[in-house]
Amino acid sequence: HVQLVESGGGLVQAGGSLRLSCATSGRVFSGHSIGWFRPAPGNEREFLASVNWSGGTPYYADSVKGRFTISRENDKNTVYLQMNSLKPEDTAIYYCGLSPFQRAVLGTQYAYWGQGTQVTVSS
């Protein structure tokens, strides 16, 4: 049984930074990937970034490339999303998910989700 718990959200001014954490527990294997998403129109989830649990090059959406950085600490079973130069349009609930696939960039590829953490960026 896998559990994901996000934390680190909050209120920040435009141009500020936040670091989100996704703590995992349960059966996470090297072939899995962890990704960060936020809601998108049409009940979809917008992909932001993902990283393979075994390492390698992270993947980013164009909308956050250069501003967001995903990283992992396997010994702490935690994946982070460092968010810099935040904009009001980044305001959303941020979710982390676990995929049984590597290089997973689609929400439908993810089997487990956390409860989300709210990020609010004021102008």
Side-chain angles (χ1 to χ4, degrees):
H1 181 63
V2 173
Q3 283 191 314
L4 306 171
V5 179
E6 302 95 334
S7 61
L11 174 64
V12 64
Q13 288 190 330
S17 299
L18 282 174
R19 189 177 79 156
L20 306 183
S21 298
C22 175
T24 70
S25 62
R27 300 170 66 81
V28 182
F29 299 110
S30 60
H32 292 164
S33 58
I34 302 287
W36 285 96
F37 289 75
R38 62 191 180 193
N43 206 32
E44 299 292 326
R45 286 186 174 173
E46 177 190 5
F47 168 77
L48 301 174
S50 68
V51 63
N52 297 331
W53 197 249
S54 59
T57 304
Y59 299 88
Y60 296 97
D62 288 342
S63 59
V64 303
K65 199 174 292 184
R67 297 192 301 126
F68 291 7
T69 302
I70 190 171
S71 61
R72 78 198 199 287
E73 280 192 85
N74 289 29
D75 57 341
K76 294 185 178 179
N77 293 324
T78 300
V79 172
Y80 304 98
L81 186 68
Q82 177 68 43
M83 305 188 298
N84 299 328
S85 302
L86 283 163
K87 307 173 184 178
E89 51 264 43
D90 293 319
T91 295
I93 299 176
Y94 284 69
Y95 299 90
C96 67
L98 171 71
S99 171
F101 308 107
Q102 293 196 347
R103 309 184 192 93
V105 299
L106 299 175
T108 52
Q109 294 176 298
Y110 285 75
Y112 298 94
W113 296 95
Q115 82 291 345
T117 185
Q118 176 71 46
V119 170
T120 303
V121 184
S122 63
S123 55

